[in-house]
Amino acid sequence: MASLSTRSEITHKAAEILSQARHAIVFTGAGVSTPSGIPDFRGEKNGLWKKSDPMRVASRTSFFQTPGVFYDWFRPLFMTSWKALPNKAHIAIAKLETASLAKAILTQNIDGLHQKAGARKVLELHGSALLFSCPNCRLQVKAEEVYTLFEKGLELPLCQKCRSVIKPEVVLFEEPLPEDIWKEAESEARQADVILVVGSSLEVFPASMIPQNALAHGCKLIINNFSPTPLDAYASCLVRQDAASFFPELLAQLKL
């Protein structure tokens, strides 16, 4: 990786790589949403997994065997996600897509903020906290209905049809990633000549395989993340900067 000494040099290099791309894709993790008030999961100080055992609160077993424990954990995350607004990074990424400088956004996040910012092709690898369905009868439940129930003090949302506890459409521990989304993400990675990683530690398997597979066929890599990742040494451009401050500068370089 070439050594770039100043913030402006790094931003200029990232803009240059993106402007020359044929098929650039964006891969996002929790770091793109923390400026919007969404807690991350693996942060060294305030990560959710520092406070809770993920297998106890966020596994398939915990949902079906102890739904009260599951919803005690999930309820505040859902409420925060429902009320959260996109930050400058989400808005800028949507503008990259509108300008055809990003062909797709692949995200590990479940907060729906890319869509709120106006992005169209968003592949949610870990599902969405803003969608619900009944695991028994498959009835779809609108997120605003669940939010209203929680605001009224209800602890467990039940299916109106069969009275089972409804489940958010998120990928829990012990569950596979959605097959159709995964196949589409793999296709995007095969086509990509540039992948821009934003706010991801690249440690969560199998989602972390997407950038690795893109690199394997010669894709250029831009990483915007505060903490080190396993792929830093392969990055053409490494940005140690908050996403919400980096992206407006990137758009300015691209004259968007």
Side-chain angles (χ1 to χ4, degrees):
M1 181 182 72
S3 177
L4 300 174
S5 59
T6 70
R7 183 160 156 172
S8 61
E9 285 178 332
I10 294 170
T11 306
H12 177 77
K13 178 65 174 179
E16 182 180 47
I17 293 171
L18 279 173
S19 64
Q20 295 174 0
R22 170 188 50 79
H23 192 103
I25 61 175
V26 182
F27 180 94
T28 68
V32 77
S33 291
T34 49
S36 293
I38 305 293
D40 68 4
F41 289 87
R42 297 174 185 272
E44 294 183 6
K45 294 183 179 180
N46 298 312
L48 292 177
W49 300 150
K50 295 290 183 181
K51 304 173 183 178
S52 303
D53 176 356
M55 293 305 294
R56 179 175 178 271
V57 300
S59 66
R60 182 175 177 84
T61 297
S62 69
F63 173 80
F64 283 103
Q65 293 188 1
T66 55
V69 172
F70 171 82
Y71 266 107
D72 283 346
W73 169 78
F74 180 76
R75 190 185 310 109
L77 179 61
F78 164 70
M79 300 288 277
T80 299
S81 298
W82 181 254
K83 292 183 290 186
L85 297 175
N87 62 58
K88 292 179 180 179
H90 296 109
I91 293 167
I93 290 169
K95 287 182 178 179
L96 289 178
E97 184 191 31
T98 299
S100 297
L101 291 176
K103 303 300 184 184
I105 297 104
L106 286 57
T107 187
Q108 297 170 279
N109 298 339
I110 59 175
D111 52 45
L113 288 176
H114 285 301
Q115 294 93 324
K116 287 183 182 180
R120 297 181 302 277
K121 189 169 185 178
V122 182
L123 303 180
E124 295 175 304
L125 299 172
H126 294 158
S128 174
L130 305 183
L131 298 172
F132 292 80
S133 65
C134 175
N136 182 47
C137 70
R138 305 310 303 169
L139 180 72
Q140 299 291 307
V141 183
K142 293 181 179 179
E144 54 263 43
E145 295 178 13
V146 178
Y147 182 82
T148 299
L149 292 174
F150 286 155
E151 270 201 320
K152 292 179 178 178
L154 187 74
E155 296 185 353
L156 283 179
L158 301 179
C159 174
Q160 293 182 356
K161 184 178 179 181
C162 71
R163 307 307 291 172
S164 299
V165 179
I166 62 172
K167 180 180 178 295
E169 293 291 337
V170 298
V171 176
L172 302 177
F173 288 91
E174 305 173 324
E175 291 184 331
L177 271 59
E179 185 176 359
D180 54 341
I181 297 295
W182 180 252
K183 287 182 178 179
E184 193 171 358
E186 286 187 312
S187 174
E188 289 292 338
R190 284 193 296 269
Q191 297 176 69
D193 57 347
V194 173
I195 182 166
L196 170 54
V197 173
V198 188
S200 175
S201 64
L202 298 179
E203 294 178 346
V204 179
F205 182 85
S208 61
M209 292 300 297
I210 294 294
Q212 292 181 35
N213 291 343
L215 273 174
H217 70 251
C219 183
K220 289 184 178 180
L221 173 65
I222 302 169
I223 297 178
N224 171 209
N225 198 54
F226 270 131
S227 59
T229 82
L231 298 184
D232 284 0
Y234 303 96
S236 299
C237 188
L238 190 58
V239 185
R240 295 280 189 241
Q241 189 179 339
D242 180 82
S245 62
F246 166 63
F247 272 91
E249 296 172 7
L250 179 65
L251 290 192
Q253 286 278 356
L254 292 166
K255 296 180 169 56
L256 294 179

